[in-house]
Amino acid sequence: MDLIDESNRKWSFFREITGVAMTVYNKYRPGLLESAYEAALKYLLEQKSHKVCEQVALPIFWENVQLDQTYRMDLVVDDNIIVELKAMNHVDTPHRRQLWNYMNLTHMPYGMLINFGPDRLYSEWYYRNPVSGEIEKVRLL
């Protein structure tokens, strides 16, 4: 088995979700609200037998005290992949940090940032390094 085959197998779930997002993008085209893309993506992933939860509450704690602040993760797929959706012209560092913070707060191993932008669908894939605990961008071979 060569490195490319191994990488393709290792990250196949990212490829599958991105492919489904591309199907949604090609059908709906740019210009809709994020919530429309979210609903369609959830439906199609469930049709492929994925467990998908949308608008998952993420409470904020200070030590053991729950604060009066709750974030909402757009989608959580198969209990271990956070999918943060955008429908904007450009994705920038604050949007990435939002996903990274969700990954840090939940300790989920995988995260995706998908933008249904005006020119094309764009996605970034992240994972939590099991040794260091740092969040790293997936770099394809």
Side-chain angles (χ1 to χ4, degrees), residues 61-65:
F61 290 85
W62 183 263
E63 296 179 1
N64 292 329
V65 177

Side-chain angles (χ1 to χ4, degrees), residues 10-93:
K10 180 178 182 179
W11 306 119
S12 63
F13 60 92
F14 281 139
R15 290 180 189 280
E16 181 180 11
I17 295 169
T18 301
V20 172
M22 183 60 73
T23 299
V24 171
Y25 185 79
N26 287 336
K27 175 77 171 180
Y28 282 171
R29 308 306 303 165
L32 296 179
L33 294 176
E34 186 181 297
S35 57
Y37 300 113
E38 181 180 306
L41 188 57
K42 178 181 189 290
Y43 173 76
L44 291 176
L45 287 170
E46 288 175 338
Q47 296 304 300
K48 292 181 171 284
S49 300
H50 289 280
K51 177 183 174 191
V52 183
C53 299
E54 63 183 326
Q55 294 300 309
V56 177
L58 178 56
I60 303 301
F61 290 85
W62 183 263
E63 296 179 1
N64 292 329
V65 177
Q66 184 172 343
L67 303 177
D68 292 335
Q69 174 68 44
T70 302
Y71 288 102
R72 296 216 170 263
M73 298 180 286
D74 291 334
L75 297 174
V76 174
V77 179
D78 298 331
D79 295 324
N80 66 351
I81 307 164
I82 299 169
V83 180
E84 183 60 32
L85 303 175
K86 301 295 177 194
M88 54 189 12
N89 290 333
H90 178 73
V91 172
D92 209 346
T93 302

Side-chain angles (χ1 to χ4, degrees), residues 84 86 91 95-96 99 111-115 122-124:
E84 183 60 32
K86 301 295 177 194
V91 172
H95 307 116
R96 293 178 183 98
L99 173 62
M112 296 182 72
L113 179 61
I114 300 175
N115 184 33
Y122 174 80
S123 70
E124 294 179 355

Side-chain angles (χ1 to χ4, degrees), residues 93-109:
T93 302
H95 307 116
R96 293 178 183 98
R97 284 191 182 129
Q98 180 183 10
L99 173 62
W100 301 338
N101 284 331
Y102 292 167
M103 290 175 71
N104 282 326
L105 290 168
T106 62
H107 302 285
M108 285 192 199

